[in-house]
Amino acid sequence: MIPIRPFPVDAPEATACLVAYFAELSARFGQTFDPYADADPAALQPPRGLFLIAGTGTPMGCVALRTGAEGLPPGTGEVKRLWVAPAARGQGLARRLMAEVETAARGMGLSHLRLDTSRHLPEAQALYLRDGWTGISRYNSNPYADHWFEKRLGPAQIS
């Protein structure tokens, strides 16, 4: 099983994930993707957030969590930068990354999560709907977003 663990957002592994993520978004959007929302990298690090990476050696995926962003009420975090390497797709890694970020959010005392996504990422939309996310109205000014979602975090599941 591919391990998932936290990394500093400025670690080489995190940079590798984000470069691949932004390159894929640029190709899908047909324009250069400008990561406007990462103006404050500290928002993706404890105590305000978290950056998770899947894999050892070569990163196979990532996801980030932040609090205190635009449009987020108290007790709500925002999920950002969910990405899985093409070679690791179809193995449930995105779902595992999302489960890990939800667990981390509960541990931070959050009761809700929000996220936004683009119409260019239909597989992400399908994942969120399948995993209990609910469509909501726009909560931020992300120029790339077409869909906004929220999830209420219940108590931790015992497996």
Side-chain angles (χ1 to χ4, degrees), residues 18-42:
L18 292 173
V19 165
Y21 172 81
F22 297 141
E24 182 168 344
L25 290 183
S26 293
R28 286 187 180 214
F29 291 8
Q31 66 183 48
T32 301
F33 182 82
D34 175 21
Y36 83 100
D38 291 336
D40 181 9

Side-chain angles (χ1 to χ4, degrees), residues 98-108:
M98 291 298 287
E100 288 290 330
V101 88
E102 288 178 26
T103 298
R106 281 186 201 93
M108 293 171 65

Side-chain angles (χ1 to χ4, degrees), residues 1-157:
M1 183 172 318
I2 297 171
I4 298 172
R5 58 188 202 273
F7 276 78
V9 72
D10 58 357
E13 297 87 347
T15 300
C17 284
L18 292 173
V19 165
Y21 172 81
F22 297 141
E24 182 168 344
L25 290 183
S26 293
R28 286 187 180 214
F29 291 8
Q31 66 183 48
T32 301
F33 182 82
D34 175 21
Y36 83 100
D38 291 336
D40 181 9
L44 303 180
Q45 299 185 111
R48 294 172 48 205
L50 182 68
F51 195 87
L52 297 173
I53 295 179
T56 55
T58 302
M60 300 307 291
C62 66
V63 68
L65 172 65
R66 69 180 179 174
T67 60
E70 167 197 5
L72 297 182
T76 302
E78 184 177 34
V79 176
K80 301 295 292 178
R81 310 296 179 236
L82 176 63
W83 170 78
V84 173
R89 293 182 184 162
Q91 301 175 40
L93 188 54
R95 187 171 245 167
R96 286 186 52 226
L97 283 161
M98 291 298 287
E100 288 290 330
V101 88
E102 288 178 26
T103 298
R106 281 186 201 93
M108 293 171 65
L110 301 176
S111 61
H112 291 81
L113 289 175
R114 287 186 176 179
L115 59 80
D116 61 45
T117 192
S118 168
R119 69 183 179 280
H120 300 286
L121 304 170
E123 64 278 23
Q125 294 172 53
L127 170 71
Y128 305 142
L129 291 170
R130 213 174 29 248
D131 284 354
W133 291 76
T134 303
I136 61 171
S137 60
R138 175 187 284 269
Y139 68 88
N140 63 22
S141 59
N142 181 350
Y144 301 102
D146 300 296
H147 305 281
W148 295 263
F149 293 92
E150 183 174 77
K151 186 171 188 179
R152 178 173 167 68
L153 299 175
Q157 304 276 330

